[in-house]
Amino acid sequence: MSAPVAAENTFNAWAATGPNQPLGAFAFDAGPIGDEEIEVAIDYCGVCHSDLSMLNNDWGITQYPFVPGHEVVGKIVKIGNHAQNKGLKVGQIVGVGWNRGSCMHCHPCISGDQHLCHDVEATIIGHHGGFADKIRSHWAWAIPLPEGVDITSAGPLFCGGITVFNPLLQFSVLPTHRVGVIGIGGLGHMALRFLNAWGCEVTAFTSSLAKRDEAISLGAHRVIATRDSDELKKIAGQLDFIMVTANASLDWDAIIGALAPKGRLHFVGVVPEAVPLHVMALISKQAEVSGSPTGSPSRLADMLAFCARHDITPQVEHFPLSKINDAVEHLHEGKARYRVVLDMNA
């Protein structure tokens, strides 16, 4: 690892040199800022399970040395020539999430689905991420934080938050709907808060009923054990929308059985195995199965406005930068309740 050095385009970061290796000090030359880019001095950065997957090369695409971090919150310190007069200014607090750029000219981009761009640039794939003092992104992917959003805990909204918020708009979830959330963790706990404020009747599914009281406090109206077949039978045909945030294999026949006519089973968690589906179970009630990634810049802005209006924040644990490897291990061991945020200046 190289030691931190001072230079205009030198970013000081924390990187891993290989799978299952600790993070250490690392400096790199970011080069001149691009015409369409902004540069952010990072104050806070979330630690996400996707960071762990990339750290350990679970997906087979990690390039080392690797700098994690894609839930960035900080202040704009530099603006590229063509990013001037785009509604951003030096000193403004913004967030950068899973994506840092897109082509801005393909059909998905000009349709407002920039996150579905064929050439979308993930913040930590092929680039150094936010475990650093600074980061750059295309100006459109730097989302201003509205007044009322707590900057110290906002980082996880830019990945986990938008992942569970985007489907509510994409699939027209209504306040009159009965909605289920499977998994009360880093994604699921934010889904409960969003859906409660949305006005839905919310059912939390969890493998541990020890989380019952906490799920209720997060916004659930009732809690059901995912492996209790009798409880699953009691809600057969009741739920208009079920969001799967967990990465576990379940009794999918029973879960689909819980859908109401025209109900939807939607995946945002990466279930490790193929999901068996009996087509007749879908046909008989005109049900649908779908999945989605994060969301577009406009959806990110909508989510932040909704959070400000309803005082919604992720439940986070803070670690100082000096304890960065402890933070990663804390998440790896499954101890986080429910998101981890690094204080980059502590």
Side-chain angles (χ1 to χ4, degrees):
M1 289 289 181
S2 56
V5 294
E8 181 181 3
N9 294 318
T10 296
F11 289 10
N12 297 311
W14 289 76
T17 56
N20 302 304
Q21 296 298 308
L23 295 161
F26 171 69
F28 64 95
D29 183 1
I33 188 170
D35 285 339
E36 297 284 340
E37 290 186 321
I38 56 92
E39 184 173 299
V40 178
I42 303 171
D43 293 313
Y44 301 95
C45 187
V47 186
C48 176
H49 275 283
S50 296
D51 291 315
L52 300 186
S53 296
M54 287 292 293
L55 270 171
N56 296 325
N57 199 24
D58 292 341
W59 300 335
I61 57 175
T62 305
Q63 301 174 23
Y64 298 97
F66 170 67
V67 179
H70 58 276
E71 298 178 343
V72 168
V73 174
K75 298 179 184 68
I76 296 176
V77 293
K78 194 180 294 185
I79 299 177
N81 289 333
H82 297 168
Q84 304 285 340
N85 302 316
K86 301 294 187 182
L88 301 174
K89 58 185 179 182
V90 170
Q92 190 171 16
I93 298 173
V94 297
V96 178
W98 177 254
N99 295 318
R100 66 179 297 277
S102 52
C103 78
M104 294 299 174
H105 59 76
C106 68
H107 189 270
C109 279
I110 63 176
S111 299
D113 290 322
Q114 295 90 341
H115 61 299
L116 301 180
C117 172
H118 179 73
D119 295 318
V120 69
E121 297 179 34
T123 299
I124 59 171
I125 299 176
H127 304 91
H128 293 312
F131 288 10
D133 58 350
K134 290 176 287 186
I135 197 170
R136 288 176 184 162
S137 79
H138 188 282
W139 63 265
W141 285 97
I143 315 301
L145 268 67
E147 185 177 348
V149 173
D150 175 27
I151 67 170
T152 69
S153 60
L157 292 171
F158 287 87
C159 180
I162 188 60
T163 297
V164 296
F165 183 86
N166 186 49
L168 307 188
L169 290 172
Q170 182 178 352
F171 298 109
S172 301
V173 174
L174 301 175
T176 53
H177 280 164
R178 296 178 175 182
V179 180
V181 176
I182 298 178
I184 313 305
L187 292 174
H189 90 281
M190 285 187 277
L192 294 181
R193 286 184 165 168
F194 283 137
L195 286 162
N196 184 282
W198 209 259
C200 300
E201 179 183 286
V202 187
T203 298
F205 294 81
T206 177
S207 60
S208 173
L209 284 180
K211 290 185 177 181
R212 182 187 182 281
D213 291 344
E214 191 162 15
I216 296 295
S217 71
L218 289 166
H221 297 100
R222 61 180 173 181
V223 180
I224 291 177
T226 52
R227 304 191 188 281
D228 188 329
S229 58
D230 290 335
E231 287 295 306
L232 292 174
K233 289 177 182 176
K234 291 179 182 178
I235 61 165
Q238 293 186 22
L239 302 180
D240 301 291
F241 191 92
I242 299 176
M243 187 185 300
V244 182
T245 72
N247 57 355
S249 297
L250 300 171
D251 182 350
W252 298 112
D253 285 341
I255 298 299
I256 291 175
L259 290 174
K262 296 188 178 182
R264 178 182 294 271
L265 177 64
H266 187 73
F267 290 87
V268 294
V270 181
V271 177
E273 301 171 356
V275 176
L277 296 174
H278 295 288
V279 173
M280 186 56 71
L282 302 177
I283 292 175
S284 63
K285 60 176 65 179
Q286 202 173 313
E288 298 176 274
V289 178
S290 54
S292 63
T294 55
S296 67
S298 64
R299 286 286 166 83
L300 280 158
D302 289 340
M303 174 197 64
L304 292 173
F306 188 78
C307 288
R309 185 179 306 153
H310 294 282
D311 193 24
I312 295 173
T313 59
Q315 185 170 313
V316 304
E317 297 178 85
H318 286 270
F319 283 76
L321 181 60
S322 60
K323 299 291 185 181
I324 191 168
N325 284 301
D326 293 339
V328 170
E329 186 62 22
H330 186 71
L331 180 61
H332 176 71
E333 293 177 351
K335 296 179 179 178
R337 291 294 183 271
Y338 283 100
R339 305 290 292 200
V340 172
V341 171
L342 291 170
D343 296 356
M344 303 304 292
N345 298 313

PDB file of all heavy atoms in Angstrom, residues 328-342:
ATOM      1  N   VAL A 328     -16.247  -3.111   8.822  1.00  0.00           N
ATOM      2  CA  VAL A 328     -16.450  -4.142   7.804  1.00  0.00           C
ATOM      3  C   VAL A 328     -16.710  -5.496   8.458  1.00  0.00           C
ATOM      4  O   VAL A 328     -17.610  -6.245   8.052  1.00  0.00           O
ATOM      5  CB  VAL A 328     -15.231  -4.211   6.868  1.00  0.00           C
ATOM      6  CG1 VAL A 328     -15.310  -5.430   5.956  1.00  0.00           C
ATOM      7  CG2 VAL A 328     -15.124  -2.932   6.035  1.00  0.00           C
ATOM      8  N   GLU A 329     -15.948  -5.820   9.495  1.00  0.00           N
ATOM      9  CA  GLU A 329     -16.126  -7.106  10.173  1.00  0.00           C
ATOM     10  C   GLU A 329     -17.459  -7.170  10.904  1.00  0.00           C
ATOM     11  O   GLU A 329     -18.110  -8.215  10.944  1.00  0.00           O
ATOM     12  CB  GLU A 329     -14.974  -7.322  11.165  1.00  0.00           C
ATOM     13  CG  GLU A 329     -14.962  -8.683  11.843  1.00  0.00           C
ATOM     14  CD  GLU A 329     -14.799  -9.842  10.871  1.00  0.00           C
ATOM     15  OE1 GLU A 329     -14.293  -9.617   9.746  1.00  0.00           O
ATOM     16  OE2 GLU A 329     -15.183 -10.978  11.234  1.00  0.00           O
ATOM     17  N   HIS A 330     -17.871  -6.051  11.484  1.00  0.00           N
ATOM     18  CA  HIS A 330     -19.157  -5.973  12.178  1.00  0.00           C
ATOM     19  C   HIS A 330     -20.302  -6.322  11.238  1.00  0.00           C
ATOM     20  O   HIS A 330     -21.213  -7.087  11.592  1.00  0.00           O
ATOM     21  CB  HIS A 330     -19.326  -4.555  12.731  1.00  0.00           C
ATOM     22  CG  HIS A 330     -20.539  -4.349  13.591  1.00  0.00           C
ATOM     23  ND1 HIS A 330     -20.662  -4.889  14.851  1.00  0.00           N
ATOM     24  CD2 HIS A 330     -21.685  -3.656  13.374  1.00  0.00           C
ATOM     25  CE1 HIS A 330     -21.824  -4.538  15.375  1.00  0.00           C
ATOM     26  NE2 HIS A 330     -22.469  -3.789  14.488  1.00  0.00           N
ATOM     27  N   LEU A 331     -20.236  -5.788  10.015  1.00  0.00           N
ATOM     28  CA  LEU A 331     -21.259  -6.098   9.021  1.00  0.00           C
ATOM     29  C   LEU A 331     -21.138  -7.543   8.553  1.00  0.00           C
ATOM     30  O   LEU A 331     -22.148  -8.256   8.422  1.00  0.00           O
ATOM     31  CB  LEU A 331     -21.134  -5.138   7.834  1.00  0.00           C
ATOM     32  CG  LEU A 331     -22.141  -5.322   6.700  1.00  0.00           C
ATOM     33  CD1 LEU A 331     -23.565  -5.109   7.191  1.00  0.00           C
ATOM     34  CD2 LEU A 331     -21.828  -4.366   5.550  1.00  0.00           C
ATOM     35  N   HIS A 332     -19.915  -7.985   8.326  1.00  0.00           N
ATOM     36  CA  HIS A 332     -19.692  -9.347   7.845  1.00  0.00           C
ATOM     37  C   HIS A 332     -20.236 -10.386   8.821  1.00  0.00           C
ATOM     38  O   HIS A 332     -20.769 -11.431   8.413  1.00  0.00           O
ATOM     39  CB  HIS A 332     -18.195  -9.572   7.624  1.00  0.00           C
ATOM     40  CG  HIS A 332     -17.845 -10.970   7.208  1.00  0.00           C
ATOM     41  ND1 HIS A 332     -18.141 -11.480   5.967  1.00  0.00           N
ATOM     42  CD2 HIS A 332     -17.239 -11.981   7.899  1.00  0.00           C
ATOM     43  CE1 HIS A 332     -17.740 -12.735   5.890  1.00  0.00           C
ATOM     44  NE2 HIS A 332     -17.189 -13.066   7.043  1.00  0.00           N
ATOM     45  N   GLU A 333     -20.145 -10.101  10.113  1.00  0.00           N
ATOM     46  CA  GLU A 333     -20.616 -11.035  11.139  1.00  0.00           C
ATOM     47  C   GLU A 333     -22.117 -10.962  11.357  1.00  0.00           C
ATOM     48  O   GLU A 333     -22.661 -11.686  12.199  1.00  0.00           O
ATOM     49  CB  GLU A 333     -19.877 -10.774  12.456  1.00  0.00           C
ATOM     50  CG  GLU A 333     -18.382 -11.121  12.395  1.00  0.00           C
ATOM     51  CD  GLU A 333     -17.659 -10.781  13.690  1.00  0.00           C
ATOM     52  OE1 GLU A 333     -18.292 -10.109  14.564  1.00  0.00           O
ATOM     53  OE2 GLU A 333     -16.483 -11.158  13.829  1.00  0.00           O
ATOM     54  N   GLY A 334     -22.801 -10.108  10.628  1.00  0.00           N
ATOM     55  CA  GLY A 334     -24.248  -9.993  10.744  1.00  0.00           C
ATOM     56  C   GLY A 334     -24.716  -9.270  11.993  1.00  0.00           C
ATOM     57  O   GLY A 334     -25.867  -9.447  12.415  1.00  0.00           O
ATOM     58  N   LYS A 335     -23.862  -8.429  12.559  1.00  0.00           N
ATOM     59  CA  LYS A 335     -24.203  -7.743  13.805  1.00  0.00           C
ATOM     60  C   LYS A 335     -24.799  -6.363  13.596  1.00  0.00           C
ATOM     61  O   LYS A 335     -25.270  -5.733  14.555  1.00  0.00           O
ATOM     62  CB  LYS A 335     -22.950  -7.622  14.688  1.00  0.00           C
ATOM     63  CG  LYS A 335     -22.380  -8.958  15.155  1.00  0.00           C
ATOM     64  CD  LYS A 335     -21.123  -8.756  15.992  1.00  0.00           C
ATOM     65  CE  LYS A 335     -20.561 -10.081  16.490  1.00  0.00           C
ATOM     66  NZ  LYS A 335     -19.309  -9.895  17.266  1.00  0.00           N
ATOM     67  N   ALA A 336     -24.797  -5.866  12.380  1.00  0.00           N
ATOM     68  CA  ALA A 336     -25.263  -4.502  12.121  1.00  0.00           C
ATOM     69  C   ALA A 336     -26.758  -4.383  12.356  1.00  0.00           C
ATOM     70  O   ALA A 336     -27.534  -5.234  11.942  1.00  0.00           O
ATOM     71  CB  ALA A 336     -24.931  -4.097  10.698  1.00  0.00           C
ATOM     72  N   ARG A 337     -27.195  -3.315  13.019  1.00  0.00           N
ATOM     73  CA  ARG A 337     -28.610  -3.014  13.225  1.00  0.00           C
ATOM     74  C   ARG A 337     -28.870  -1.554  12.832  1.00  0.00           C
ATOM     75  O   ARG A 337     -28.814  -0.667  13.621  1.00  0.00           O
ATOM     76  CB  ARG A 337     -29.025  -3.246  14.695  1.00  0.00           C
ATOM     77  CG  ARG A 337     -29.023  -4.706  15.106  1.00  0.00           C
ATOM     78  CD  ARG A 337     -30.110  -5.481  14.355  1.00  0.00           C
ATOM     79  NE  ARG A 337     -30.196  -6.868  14.765  1.00  0.00           N
ATOM     80  CZ  ARG A 337     -29.490  -7.867  14.205  1.00  0.00           C
ATOM     81  NH1 ARG A 337     -28.660  -7.596  13.209  1.00  0.00           N
ATOM     82  NH2 ARG A 337     -29.624  -9.097  14.630  1.00  0.00           N
ATOM     83  N   TYR A 338     -29.222  -1.243  11.579  1.00  0.00           N
ATOM     84  CA  TYR A 338     -29.264  -2.221  10.521  1.00  0.00           C
ATOM     85  C   TYR A 338     -28.305  -1.867   9.390  1.00  0.00           C
ATOM     86  O   TYR A 338     -28.094  -2.643   8.486  1.00  0.00           O
ATOM     87  CB  TYR A 338     -30.684  -2.344   9.976  1.00  0.00           C
ATOM     88  CG  TYR A 338     -31.592  -3.148  10.882  1.00  0.00           C
ATOM     89  CD1 TYR A 338     -32.480  -2.518  11.743  1.00  0.00           C
ATOM     90  CD2 TYR A 338     -31.526  -4.528  10.896  1.00  0.00           C
ATOM     91  CE1 TYR A 338     -33.308  -3.263  12.570  1.00  0.00           C
ATOM     92  CE2 TYR A 338     -32.349  -5.277  11.712  1.00  0.00           C
ATOM     93  CZ  TYR A 338     -33.225  -4.637  12.552  1.00  0.00           C
ATOM     94  OH  TYR A 338     -34.028  -5.370  13.377  1.00  0.00           O
ATOM     95  N   ARG A 339     -27.771  -0.656   9.438  1.00  0.00           N
ATOM     96  CA  ARG A 339     -26.781  -0.217   8.450  1.00  0.00           C
ATOM     97  C   ARG A 339     -25.575   0.359   9.198  1.00  0.00           C
ATOM     98  O   ARG A 339     -25.704   0.865  10.315  1.00  0.00           O
ATOM     99  CB  ARG A 339     -27.345   0.848   7.505  1.00  0.00           C
ATOM    100  CG  ARG A 339     -28.615   0.465   6.790  1.00  0.00           C
ATOM    101  CD  ARG A 339     -28.449  -0.601   5.751  1.00  0.00           C
ATOM    102  NE  ARG A 339     -27.682  -0.182   4.600  1.00  0.00           N
ATOM    103  CZ  ARG A 339     -27.728  -0.809   3.415  1.00  0.00           C
ATOM    104  NH1 ARG A 339     -28.514  -1.874   3.246  1.00  0.00           N
ATOM    105  NH2 ARG A 339     -26.992  -0.393   2.399  1.00  0.00           N
ATOM    106  N   VAL A 340     -24.435   0.309   8.564  1.00  0.00           N
ATOM    107  CA  VAL A 340     -23.196   0.825   9.134  1.00  0.00           C
ATOM    108  C   VAL A 340     -22.761   2.055   8.329  1.00  0.00           C
ATOM    109  O   VAL A 340     -22.796   2.041   7.099  1.00  0.00           O
ATOM    110  CB  VAL A 340     -22.082  -0.233   9.103  1.00  0.00           C
ATOM    111  CG1 VAL A 340     -20.746   0.363   9.523  1.00  0.00           C
ATOM    112  CG2 VAL A 340     -22.455  -1.403  10.019  1.00  0.00           C
ATOM    113  N   VAL A 341     -22.369   3.113   9.045  1.00  0.00           N
ATOM    114  CA  VAL A 341     -21.902   4.340   8.398  1.00  0.00           C
ATOM    115  C   VAL A 341     -20.534   4.704   8.958  1.00  0.00           C
ATOM    116  O   VAL A 341     -20.321   4.718  10.171  1.00  0.00           O
ATOM    117  CB  VAL A 341     -22.891   5.502   8.618  1.00  0.00           C
ATOM    118  CG1 VAL A 341     -22.298   6.828   8.124  1.00  0.00           C
ATOM    119  CG2 VAL A 341     -24.209   5.232   7.902  1.00  0.00           C
ATOM    120  N   LEU A 342     -19.595   5.029   8.053  1.00  0.00           N
ATOM    121  CA  LEU A 342     -18.283   5.506   8.438  1.00  0.00           C
ATOM    122  C   LEU A 342     -18.293   7.021   8.548  1.00  0.00           C
ATOM    123  O   LEU A 342     -18.766   7.716   7.638  1.00  0.00           O
ATOM    124  CB  LEU A 342     -17.238   5.100   7.400  1.00  0.00           C
ATOM    125  CG  LEU A 342     -16.894   3.612   7.283  1.00  0.00           C
ATOM    126  CD1 LEU A 342     -16.024   3.383   6.049  1.00  0.00           C
ATOM    127  CD2 LEU A 342     -16.194   3.123   8.539  1.00  0.00           C
TER     128      LEU A 342
END
